[in-house]
Amino acid sequence: TGLGKAFGIEFARLGATIAILSRKEEHRLKGVQAIERIGGKAVHLPLDVRDPVAIATAFDGIESAVGPVDVFLNNAAGNFPVPAEDLSPNGFRTVLQIDLEGTFNCSREFGRRAIRAGRSGAILNIGSPTYHVGGPGIAHVAAAKAGVHNLTYSLAVEWAPYGIRVNTLVPGFFPHED
């Protein structure tokens, strides 16, 4: 949906085969339909980015269907505005697990496979302008995205010798149906 779908469509327009990973089948199917409408090719698999075993299974499925992953977009995010004093520990933890741990889990799987195979590649993490300024109602999101930015810096340096580029894109806020 939203930004991920737009990225998928553009990469498909440029000739890439797209793997759509999401917990929600309806999101995956809408993405596949959008990509096929422009003449692109897409596969879809279920994925909860908080589960490293599920991530390995998804990568296995992608490789079996279309070959190795060359570019990975870490776009999964949890986001709901709530004042910090009303934010539950579970809400805070869930956003960190999806945004930060999910980014690490998926990046690690991509990195392991690329390094083992001697392949270069690229990881694009989606950041947020909140990572350096914060704001009301977004303590959990700002904390998670600050972690994503710093994770990106570390992985970029660590994996550069393997030809794996790691960057963060901060698109800012944009209209979205959700």
Side-chain angles (χ1 to χ4, degrees):
T1 63
L3 187 62
K5 184 176 171 184
F7 267 102
I9 290 169
E10 182 61 14
F11 275 109
R13 189 185 69 74
L14 295 170
T17 298
I18 308 303
I20 300 170
L21 309 171
S22 173
R23 289 180 294 161
K24 296 183 178 181
E25 184 175 32
E26 71 260 20
H27 290 169
R28 296 190 314 264
L29 293 176
K30 285 180 183 177
V32 168
Q33 291 168 353
I35 289 165
E36 289 177 345
R37 268 197 302 275
I38 65 157
K41 180 180 177 185
V43 298
H44 70 93
L45 295 140
L47 179 63
D48 183 337
V49 298
R50 297 170 291 184
D51 181 353
V53 173
I55 293 166
T57 300
F59 269 80
D60 288 343
I62 295 166
E63 289 176 357
S64 174
V66 297
V69 179
D70 298 315
V71 176
F72 193 88
L73 172 66
N74 275 307
N75 187 52
N79 188 357
F80 54 92
V82 61
E85 66 273 17
D86 296 330
L87 178 59
S88 72
N90 186 57
F92 186 85
R93 181 176 41 255
T94 299
V95 169
L96 260 67
Q97 287 174 332
I98 294 169
D99 291 22
L100 179 54
E101 289 182 35
T103 297
F104 172 74
N105 292 338
C106 291
S107 297
R108 181 183 65 173
E109 188 65 31
F110 177 94
R112 284 178 168 174
R113 289 172 187 252
I115 291 166
R116 190 170 46 238
R119 285 190 339 266
S120 62
I123 298 171
L124 180 59
N125 297 325
I126 300 301
S128 167
T130 64
Y131 86 96
H132 62 86
V133 296
I138 58 168
H140 50 324
V141 175
K145 291 302 186 177
V148 167
H149 280 271
N150 282 285
L151 174 65
T152 299
Y153 301 145
S154 294
L155 294 179
V157 171
E158 187 171 339
W159 291 345
Y162 301 106
I164 299 171
R165 297 174 319 283
V166 187
N167 292 284
T168 299
L169 175 68
V170 180
F173 299 106
F174 58 92
H176 185 271
E177 62 195 39
D178 287 347

